Amino acid sequence: MGADNDYLPAPPTDRFLITRTFGEGLKGYKSTAFPHVAVLDMDDASRVEAVARWAIRHHGVQRVVAIHEKDMLLAARLREDFDLPGMNFEATLRFRDKVLMKDTLALAGYQGLPRYRSLERGEVIESVPWTGRIVVKSRWGVGSSDVRIVGDIAQANEAARELERRSDGLEVEEFIDGTMYHCDAVVHDGQVLFSAVSEYIAAPGQYGANSVAGSVLLEDGALKDAIRADNALVLRHLGLTCGVTHVEYFHTPAGRLVFCEAAARPGGGGIDDIVFRGTGVNLIRAAIELQSGVVPHLPDEGDRATAVFGIVGMYHSDRGQDTRADDLLDAIPGVLSYQFATPAVAGTVRHCTDYGHKLVIGAETRERFDDLAARAVRFIRGDRSASAATTRGSHAATS
């Protein structure tokens, strides 16, 4: 909600916060900014809904704001039930149900889809109309936590039986070989006011102990322009009028853009941080303002940084022996911020942004960024030779 809890354009007396203790849900909380607060187990959906309904009735809430993917449908349902303004359930569903979003795009004549279909509970896959690997995923999953990439039909059926134990619906689609990108946008009155394109360091589905992920802002060029144009087309077909969005694409070796999925909320895992450093646009603030009925203020194009910014996330080791690299900021030039989190569940990586180490790096070029990122990873893993004599005072890229 902002360093001073000032993103929400309403006086403190008119604010009601529902949050959690888990995952730093109370980080930066100030009682003066949010005098009305409920701290809940956010995994108990019925309890969260009951408290939200009570708050709307008891406090006369006029706007419902939600940032996390798992809260979007509840927020939409509450708006409809209490006749409140904002994105309704039908519009939100097109950004949550991964089959519905692709069906919507297909009906609009969009050409950038992979081959896919829904999978009913208990259904045995007999064949698929493509060769190569198969992706089985939840229609409702977040953070790539319910995605399985398999090599054949037998493995696909095994993955489906596993996933359907905790998901209400599944999708099967062809595996797309290519580099993965995401486009993060701000939309008002059906117009894209801003968009930024980033490349994933590793595909979100390829996360796990000891590995590295993250993303880096893409420099200007034909690919960036193509993704931004396709992103605007996708959002128009999906019917978004106002909101902050996060849309993912594959770019194949043959040069084809293939849609992956879309969300009507800011990208997670620190994406908002690098977008802000590189462009001056605060995606979290914009999302809150748009859901509050306020047109977000966006900086001019000329105010944007010329450096390359990216976020590097390292997952905890499978041995559970990770420690904070306290001297990383001084050891590796270009490291602008560093956070360390102890594992929420020992020995387990729960989703693609469940980082143990998270750092933001700024550099003059993409090549320089890649070099600094590799050195930072080696340093965190114990290779102190990766450090340089350069001190932080000589960083070429600043926030």
Side-chain angles (χ1 to χ4, degrees), residues 8 14 52 64 68 101 160 169 242 281 291 302 304 359 363:
L8 203 62
D14 293 339
V64 178
H68 195 282
M101 72 175 65
C242 283
V281 173
Q291 292 182 58
R304 297 177 185 175
L359 51 148

Side-chain angles (χ1 to χ4, degrees), residues 9-28:
T13 52
D14 293 339
R15 302 173 183 173
F16 190 96
L17 174 66
I18 300 176
T19 187
R20 62 190 185 183
T21 55
F22 184 82
E24 297 185 327
L26 284 170
K27 183 179 181 180

Side-chain angles (χ1 to χ4, degrees), residues 73-378:
L73 284 177
L74 172 58
R77 188 164 59 245
L78 292 171
R79 294 185 192 111
E80 287 197 353
D81 291 351
F82 289 93
D83 196 24
L84 302 177
M87 199 166 173
N88 63 24
F89 190 85
E90 180 183 0
T92 304
L93 194 62
R94 292 194 291 270
F95 287 87
R96 283 293 289 122
D97 184 337
K98 293 175 173 55
V99 172
L100 177 61
M101 72 175 65
K102 293 185 179 70
D103 285 348
T104 302
L105 291 172
L107 286 172
Y110 178 71
Q111 299 298 307
L113 292 172
R115 286 172 288 187
Y116 72 98
R117 71 172 178 87
S118 62
L119 196 62
E120 300 302 320
R121 179 173 292 277
E123 179 183 352
V124 176
I125 305 170
E126 299 291 346
S127 63
V128 292
W130 62 81
T131 59
R133 286 181 281 180
I134 303 167
V135 181
V136 183
K137 63 170 70 171
S138 166
R139 294 171 67 157
W140 313 97
V142 298
S144 300
S145 55
D146 292 322
V147 177
R148 302 293 181 268
I149 301 172
V150 298
D152 56 36
I153 297 292
Q155 292 174 352
N157 281 308
E158 183 178 346
R161 301 293 81 78
E162 176 209 347
L163 291 176
E164 68 185 8
R165 287 196 291 267
R166 57 177 181 269
S167 178
D168 291 333
L170 300 179
E171 173 194 7
V172 58
E173 65 181 43
E174 66 175 321
F175 176 83
I176 302 298
D177 184 17
T179 304
M180 200 168 188
Y181 296 85
H182 57 88
C183 187
D184 299 270
V186 177
V187 182
H188 181 256
D189 283 345
Q191 299 298 313
V192 177
L193 303 182
F194 163 83
S195 61
V197 180
S198 305
E199 178 184 340
Y200 281 116
I201 294 173
Q206 298 175 357
Y207 64 90
N210 306 304
S211 59
V212 178
S215 57
V216 56
L217 284 170
L218 204 62
E219 296 176 281
D220 291 340
L223 179 57
K224 179 179 178 179
D225 292 341
I227 293 175
R228 293 176 72 179
D230 202 275
N231 180 73
L233 180 64
V234 163
L235 297 180
R236 184 165 67 250
H237 287 330
L238 291 177
L240 186 83
T241 55
C242 283
V244 169
T245 58
H246 175 75
V247 181
E248 296 175 332
Y249 291 92
F250 299 100
H251 185 238
T252 71
R256 181 187 176 212
L257 279 178
V258 181
F259 174 85
C260 179
E261 56 192 55
R265 45 81 181 166
I271 288 171
D272 63 299
D273 191 339
I274 61 172
V275 169
F276 179 71
R277 290 178 186 272
T279 70
V281 173
N282 187 323
L283 295 173
I284 302 296
R285 181 167 198 151
I288 293 171
E289 290 174 336
L290 285 165
Q291 292 182 58
S292 302
V294 175
V295 180
H297 171 73
L298 303 177
D300 296 332
E301 289 277 349
D303 296 336
R304 297 177 185 175
T306 57
V308 175
F309 295 92
I311 190 153
V312 178
M314 295 179 60
Y315 302 104
H316 285 291
S317 73
D318 51 10
R319 298 182 301 276
Q321 298 173 342
D322 296 57
T323 58
R324 180 186 300 273
D326 289 317
D327 47 356
L328 177 66
L329 288 168
D330 292 318
I332 306 295
V335 178
L336 304 175
S337 70
Y338 169 67
Q339 294 175 291
F340 174 78
T342 55
V345 180
T348 302
V349 177
R350 299 166 298 146
H351 51 75
C352 68
T353 60
D354 192 15
Y355 300 137
H357 308 266
K358 185 168 69 174
L359 51 148
V360 173
I361 295 175
E364 303 94 328
T365 64
R366 174 61 189 273
E367 290 74 21
R368 176 65 170 161
F369 170 86
D370 290 342
D371 174 63
L372 292 174
R375 287 164 58 186
V377 168
R378 294 199 305 271

